[in-house]
């Protein structure tokens, strides 16, 4: 059985929480479990509505799916959510321009299946190491990959919050997929940028390493993010697989391309 804990916090500067979090340790359709974090964007009420209907649509579609491939199920669920957000934004003037990030995960047979759109993140921490599994879909991250700016510059760049991909931003959405072979001792962190903009990865690792359990770990991350300024909503999911759920994995990360092939 997985040990999990989730928390969302408005932060110290925002008047509205546009994050939305969903966790189920129990099966959702053919998926053995499901975890989702979304960070909405848009005008008053639009961002929180986008994140809410995205997650709700994903859960509904996953529950109805008879598929066996987690990437395929998550991809179809995110595509359905994208279509709904796009259509709603075009039909209702007060929702114009809304969208949301989303990161979703499923633990199955010693492997973690991940789907990602935007700059909400999934990490795997294990002892002395923390690894970002997802790739941010942001302008600054694209510049880093192309060599236009250094990684050290990216953290405080004025355009850091410009994302290049979001659910509802266009009539179709491209989703990134990853699989991770889980190892004994792995701890999975899913979060919005309200956490990662306030804390360095090493600070996150140290907090997780010093926590007694997933509850304390998540609560301490939120507390630290608020102490560092709390400029945005902060959402965290922590997932601790048990030994029989890691299957002695190698810890390898695989990027899944649009054709469902590992690369």
């Amino acid at each position: 059985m997985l040990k999990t804990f989730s928390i969302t916090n408005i932060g110290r500067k925002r008047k509205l929480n546009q994050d939305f979090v969903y966790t189920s340790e129990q099966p959702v359709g053919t998926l053995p479990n499901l975890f989702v974090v979304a960070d909405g964007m848009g005008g008053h009420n639009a961002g929180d509505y986008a994140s809410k209907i995205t997650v709700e649509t994903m859960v509904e579609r996953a529950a109805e799916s008879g598929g066996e491939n987690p990437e395929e199920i998550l991809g179809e669920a995110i595509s359905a959510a994208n279509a709904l957000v796009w259509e709603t934004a075009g039909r209702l003037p007060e929702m114009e321009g809304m969208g949301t990030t989303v990161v979703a995960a499923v633990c199955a047979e010693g492997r973690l299946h991940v789907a990602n759109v935007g700059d909400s993140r999934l990490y795997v921490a294990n002892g002395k190491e923390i690894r970002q599994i997802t790739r941010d879909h942001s302008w600054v991250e694209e510049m880093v990959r192309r060599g236009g700016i250094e990684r050290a510059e990216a953290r405080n760049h004025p355009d850091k919050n410009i994302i290049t991909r979001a659910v509802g931003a266009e009539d179709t959405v491209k989703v990134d997929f990853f699989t991770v072979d889980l190892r004994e001792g792995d701890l999975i962190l899913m979060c919005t940028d309200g956490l990662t903009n306030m804390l360095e990865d090493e600070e996150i690792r140290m907090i997780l390493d010093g926590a007694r359990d997933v509850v304390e770990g998540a609560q301490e991350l939120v507390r630290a993010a608020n102490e560092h300024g709390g400029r945005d909503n902060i959402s965290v999911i922590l997932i601790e697989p048990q030994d029989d759920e890691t299957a002695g994995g190698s810890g390898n990360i695989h990027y899944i391309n649009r054709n469902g092939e590992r690369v």
Side-chain angles (χ1 to χ4, degrees):
M1 191 69 177
L2 300 169
K3 293 182 180 179
T4 71
F5 186 75
S6 62
I7 186 171
T8 185
N9 184 277
I10 197 170
R12 291 187 168 182
K13 303 295 183 181
R14 299 296 177 92
K15 295 181 179 180
L16 186 69
N17 191 343
Q18 295 188 323
D19 291 355
F20 200 89
V21 172
Y22 173 86
T23 67
S24 177
E25 299 173 13
Q26 303 302 316
V28 177
T30 55
L31 298 176
N33 45 68
L34 179 61
F35 306 91
V36 189
V37 171
D39 181 358
M41 59 186 185
H44 183 65
N45 291 332
D48 62 319
Y49 183 73
S51 60
K52 180 175 186 291
I53 64 170
T54 290
V55 176
E56 289 178 346
T57 301
M58 287 178 61
V59 174
E60 180 181 318
R61 287 303 183 100
E64 294 172 351
S65 175
E68 297 182 359
N69 184 299
E71 283 82 18
E72 182 178 328
I73 295 169
L74 293 175
E76 291 175 351
I78 293 173
S79 292
N82 184 82
L84 180 58
V85 175
W86 174 259
E87 183 275 330
T88 304
R91 179 169 48 85
L92 301 177
E94 65 272 23
M95 299 296 178
E96 183 180 1
M98 72 174 173
T100 184
T101 70
V102 69
V103 59
V106 176
C107 293
E109 299 179 344
R111 183 168 289 165
L112 181 68
H113 303 266
V114 184
N116 180 60
V117 179
D119 63 354
S120 293
R121 294 178 179 177
L122 184 145
Y123 292 86
V124 173
N126 189 309
K128 302 296 184 181
E129 177 186 38
I130 184 168
R131 299 179 294 164
Q132 182 181 338
I133 305 302
T134 53
R135 304 174 184 175
D136 294 353
H137 301 136
S138 67
W139 183 86
V140 166
E141 183 63 23
E142 291 294 333
M143 291 297 292
V144 170
R145 289 177 195 161
R146 295 174 185 174
I149 59 174
E150 296 295 327
R151 175 67 63 185
E153 299 176 62
R155 181 167 184 80
N156 298 309
H157 197 282
D159 295 326
K160 179 175 175 57
N161 292 325
I162 298 176
I163 61 175
T164 56
R165 208 187 297 179
V167 174
E170 298 180 2
D171 59 346
T172 60
V173 63
K174 180 182 177 183
V175 185
D176 280 357
F177 299 99
F178 306 85
T179 63
V180 183
D181 298 326
L182 293 171
R183 300 170 294 178
E184 184 178 348
D186 278 348
L187 182 65
I188 301 156
L189 165 65
M190 303 168 66
C191 60
T192 56
D193 66 351
L195 178 73
T196 53
N197 283 345
M198 297 293 98
L199 300 175
E200 299 277 1
D201 287 2
E202 180 61 14
E203 292 176 294
I204 293 172
R205 186 200 66 77
M206 291 178 64
I207 290 170
L208 293 177
D209 195 47
R212 291 173 294 181
D213 53 28
V214 291
V215 177
E216 183 176 89
Q219 291 174 338
E220 284 299 302
L221 288 175
V222 170
R223 181 194 60 77
N226 275 322
E227 282 191 353
H228 282 66
R231 293 195 298 268
D232 201 353
N233 311 142
I234 310 154
S235 293
V236 170
I237 297 176
L238 284 180
I239 307 164
E240 183 181 350
Q242 301 306 289
D243 291 349
D244 59 344
E245 290 151 345
T246 59
S250 63
N252 290 334
I253 304 168
H254 307 279
Y255 176 71
I256 311 297
N257 67 19
R258 300 186 73 176
N259 297 320
E261 302 163 333
R262 285 191 182 193
V263 295

